[in-house]
Amino acid sequence: GAVVSQHPSRVICKSGTSVKIECRSLDFQATTMFWYRQFPKQSLMLMATSNEGSKATYEQGVEKDKFLINHASLTLSTLTVTSAHPEDSSFYICSARQPPGQGDGYTFGSGTRLTVV
Amino acid sequence: GDSVTQMEGPVTLSEEAFLTINCTYTATGYPSLFWYVQYPGEGLQLLLKATKADDKGSNKGFEATYRKETTSFHLEKGSVQVSDSAVYFCALSDNQGGKLIFGQGTELSVKP
């Protein structure tokens, strides 16, 4: 079945530094990937839609300059949290959409727990 | 805009009890509907889905029927197990940009 690998699973960083999270589709090509943020005991909030070879589409209220998304290939999207602050601490989850004809479903990564100290 | 509303949790049941988690949606057009499950500290796993009205999705004893007339997609299981303890999310895809829109999640706790 379709597999999405998200790395790292946990990261602790100092306030003011940047952190990069990777999301890879291992056995299919994903033209579209999604990045979500999840607060404790809450739902997933869509941050942005990442399309291979073009700029990401950000949801309202999400800072583009703070959450940089790059989707340079059909199997890799990255989320960089720039100048991280404690309020950015959260659980970040990526999702990749399988192409039509290959299930057209959504596969999720296992998430990244970011803690900014 | 499109939205999903789930019953609030936590839901606590004894093993072998019957489970229902309500989910209703608001959408233009004809969305696909999904149930995802999240175990502690993990990402989401697809539990079941339905792509058109009257479709029934089923998996691992769970099932849900796409009801267009009531805009609902309630999750049911006849006999829950302790291992079913998790957070369950109802979701729809808007069939335009393809993004998933999630309900707020319902935490299920099954006691032995």
Side-chain angles (χ1 to χ4, degrees), chain A residues 15 22 39 45 52 65 75 77 82 96-97 105-106 112 117:
Chain A
S15 188
E22 292 188 349
F39 293 99
M45 181 192 78
E52 187 266 337
D65 295 332
T75 58
S77 177
T82 62
R97 188 175 187 191
Y106 302 81
T112 298
V117 298

Side-chain angles (χ1 to χ4, degrees), chain A:
Chain A
V3 178
V4 170
S5 174
Q6 187 173 341
H7 178 80
S9 57
R10 292 179 180 273
V11 59
I12 300 173
C13 71
K14 291 185 177 180
S15 188
T17 62
S18 296
V19 173
K20 179 185 284 189
I21 303 170
E22 292 188 349
C23 181
R24 293 180 184 273
S25 56
L26 297 186
D27 49 2
F28 66 99
Q29 294 183 331
T31 54
T32 304
M33 290 187 175
F34 305 90
W35 287 95
Y36 294 86
R37 181 174 180 176
Q38 185 179 31
F39 293 99
K41 296 190 180 296
Q42 293 190 27
S43 189
L44 282 74
M45 181 192 78
L46 179 65
M47 299 174 66
T49 302
S50 167
N51 295 299
E52 187 266 337
S54 63
K55 290 184 179 181
T57 302
Y58 289 82
E59 295 298 305
Q60 192 171 9
V62 177
E63 298 176 60
K64 301 177 184 181
D65 295 332
K66 180 161 192 63
F67 299 100
L68 299 179
I69 291 172
N70 183 285
H71 193 159
S73 78
L74 287 171
T75 58
L76 174 64
S77 177
T78 60
L79 167 67
T80 302
V81 183
T82 62
S83 186
H85 291 284
E87 58 266 29
D88 299 324
S89 298
S90 193
F91 193 56
Y92 294 87
I93 305 176
C94 71
S95 171
R97 188 175 187 191
Q98 296 158 48
Q102 294 185 36
D104 197 26
Y106 302 81
T107 303
F108 286 79
S110 54
T112 298
R113 173 73 60 194
L114 170 63
T115 303
V116 185
V117 298

Side-chain angles (χ1 to χ4, degrees), chain B residues 6-112:
Chain B
Q6 288 178 237
M7 64 185 286
E8 287 194 23
V11 173
T12 302
L13 295 173
S14 297
E15 206 165 22
E16 298 184 3
F18 184 85
L19 168 71
T20 300
I21 300 178
N22 290 337
C23 171
T24 57
Y25 67 92
T26 302
T28 54
Y30 304 97
S32 294
L33 302 174
F34 306 81
W35 276 100
Y36 284 87
V37 58
Q38 184 180 34
Y39 298 100
E42 298 184 12
L44 272 68
Q45 300 175 27
L46 177 65
L47 183 58
L48 53 85
K49 69 177 183 180
T51 58
K52 61 183 188 296
D54 300 325
D55 268 3
K56 178 186 283 188
S58 62
N59 185 28
K60 300 180 182 178
F62 292 89
E63 58 182 36
T65 301
Y66 190 145
R67 301 285 188 200
K68 187 170 182 292
E69 63 276 13
T70 54
T71 60
S72 65
F73 193 54
H74 305 321
L75 182 69
E76 296 182 337
K77 186 174 185 181
S79 177
V80 294
Q81 305 300 313
V82 172
S83 57
D84 293 328
S85 299
V87 180
Y88 292 81
F89 291 94
C90 185
L92 66 81
S93 68
D94 64 6
N95 290 331
Q96 294 178 349
K99 60 188 179 185
L100 281 173
I101 297 168
F102 286 90
Q104 64 268 44
T106 302
E107 182 179 1
L108 170 66
S109 178
V110 181
K111 306 297 184 185

